[in-house]
């Protein structure tokens, strides 16, 4: 993505109301609700576009995608949200004692090394903000100290709250510097009395500060996971599962990708970079077989679990590097009719793309969270026998400068 400054320049030259397409069919319109305002956007920095109204943001994102991808074909109007606030189903808060002695929960600010309080964050779920505030109050009444990185003392480092948008169930993860379940259990008990929507509370032990979550954990309440439903399939979410954070737009994204694949029930589909198997499992009803490949072994276990949860018989998931998997598949002459790709921001490497071309599926559906690397990868594919049929930008992350795209590529020669 471009910087805010370059975005403004692009916006000025291309802003048109007709460039946007608001997703009202899949979401209750909440326009009657007041538009929330963020008072800490400059200090926090997570929402790079919060100074633009939402229509301008969408036009800006449309312009970014058009600039990068129009050489491959027509770019459809971006699909935005009817109510682009409080859309995140995962909220993370760092807990610290401020200079004045008050307890604060918020985001780390690298320039000052301090924490910016995000009590009213307008992209986090409102209930998650409320739960974080209540945990803070309970920490005070139970005399539980926040972690202090200066002297390595104190217990609670972070709070993570995850929500199942389909069921309204919540999971709370207390990330702590040591395993003090006895100290935390009374707090957990009071928290669930106050919030009966919380179905599980997990104690995660993180002794070093580098990553947010540590490896050791134990449920303080409930079984350590919640379940969500996306496009009619059930998915298990545990503290560490990768799961798209905007449930409303994820349904739009997956539905678009699967529509583009135009499955008839006869196809063998590869879901590359499959995460916990979401796209593949949703596509599996319309395919003969779905093969998923994913580098993260925990995500592959979740994908298998999710497959069992949905009683899916025609899916198989492999734990492997996608490029190595593709190379081997190409070498042994494996056949896929459709390859769906959803790589991280870095996109696909040359090895992957070369193997994809030699596997030669008739359709490639590319889901991308980075239009720059998408543009690079499409360039390779259009010079190796494919053409772009459809390009659809989707706003998964309102107020930030990120934009997602789905592209349908079809093979033009064999
Ligand atoms: N399709 C999933 C996940 C997309 S995120 C969803 O919509 O939820 C991208 C995924 O690619 C992550 O799960 C990440 O672990 C995985 N990944 C990253 N590098 C990879 C590689 N080299 N080979 C296979 N998977 C990889």
């Amino acid at each position: 993505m471009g910087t805010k400054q370059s975005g403004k320049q692009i916006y000025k030259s291309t802003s048109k109301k007709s460039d946007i397409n608001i997703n009202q069919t899949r979401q209750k319109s909440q326009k009657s609700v007041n538009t929330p305002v963020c008072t800490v956007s400059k200090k926090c920095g997570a929402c790079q576009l919060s100074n633009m109204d939402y229509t301008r943001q969408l036009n800006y994102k449309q312009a970014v995608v058009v600039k990068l991808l129009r050489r491959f074909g027509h770019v459809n109007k971006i699909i935005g949200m009817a109510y682009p606030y409080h859309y995140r189903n995962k909220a993370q808060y760092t807990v610290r004692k401020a200079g004045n002695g008050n307890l604060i929960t918020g985001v780390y600010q690298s320039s000052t090394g301090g924490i910016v309080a995000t009590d009213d964050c307008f992209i986090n779920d409102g209930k998650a903000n409320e739960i974080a505030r209540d945990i803070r109050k309970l920490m005070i009444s139970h005399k539980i100290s926040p972690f202090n990185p200066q002297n390595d003392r104190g217990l609670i480092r972070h709070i993570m709250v995850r929500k199942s948008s389909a069921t309204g169930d919540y999971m709370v993860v207390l990330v702590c510097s040591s395993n003090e379940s006895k100290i935390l259990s009374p707090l957990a008990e009071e928290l669930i009395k106050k919030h009966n929507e919380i179905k599980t509370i997990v104690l995660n032990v993180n002794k070093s500060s580098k990553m947010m979550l540590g490896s050791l954990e134990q449920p303080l309440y409930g079984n350590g996971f919640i379940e969500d439903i996306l496009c009619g399939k059930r998915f298990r979410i545990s503290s560490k599962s990768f799961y798209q954070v905007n449930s409303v737009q994820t349904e739009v994204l997956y539905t678009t990708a699967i529509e583009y694949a135009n499955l008839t029930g006869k196809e063998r589909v590869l879901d590359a970079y499959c995460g916990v198997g979401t796209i593949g499992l949703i596509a599996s009803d319309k395919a003969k077989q779905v093969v998923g490949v994913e580098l993260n072994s925990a995500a592959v276990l979740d994908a298998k679990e999710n497959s069992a949860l949905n009683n899916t018989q025609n899916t198989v998931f492999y734990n492997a590097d996608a490029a190595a998997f593709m190379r081997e598949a190409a070498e042994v002459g494996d056949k896929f009719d459709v390859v769906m790709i959803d790589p991280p921001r870095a996109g696909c490497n040359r090895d992957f793309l070369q193997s994809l071309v030699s596997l030669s599926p008739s359709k490639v559906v590319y889901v991308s969270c980075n239009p720059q690397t998408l543009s690079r990868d499409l360039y390779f594919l259009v010079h190796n026998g494919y053409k772009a049929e459809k390009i659809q930008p989707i706003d998964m992350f309102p107020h930030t400068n990120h934009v997602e795209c789905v592209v349908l590529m079809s093979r033009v020669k064999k």
Side-chain angles (χ1 to χ4, degrees), residues 242-244 250 253-254 271-279 293-296 299 320-323 342-344 349:
F242 175 86
Y243 198 66
Q244 298 278 357
T250 299
L253 179 76
Y254 290 168
D271 178 7
Y273 309 89
C274 69
V276 298
T278 36
I279 296 177
V293 59
E294 161 64 47
L295 192 60
N296 179 328
D321 167 59
D342 185 9
N349 62 21

Side-chain angles (χ1 to χ4, degrees), residues 61-130:
K61 292 184 186 190
Q62 178 79 18
V64 169
V65 176
V66 165
K67 190 170 183 228
L68 286 162
L69 304 185
R70 74 175 148 216
R71 61 183 167 151
F72 304 112
H74 171 74
V75 176
N76 291 345
K77 289 174 189 172
I78 187 167
I79 303 174
M81 297 187 79
Y83 184 72
Y85 301 98
H86 300 297
Y87 59 83
R88 284 185 62 94
N89 58 30
K90 178 168 92 168
Q92 293 169 180
Y93 311 85
T94 296
V95 191
R96 288 282 188 281
K97 192 176 265 187
N100 60 9
N102 289 346
L103 208 51
I104 49 172
T105 46
V107 295
Y108 180 74
Q109 193 192 22
S110 53
S111 59
T112 64
I115 301 293
V116 178
T118 54
D119 284 9
D120 301 311
C121 173
F122 71 14
I123 63 170
N124 277 347
D125 179 72
K127 180 70 78 180
N129 287 338
E130 204 181 306

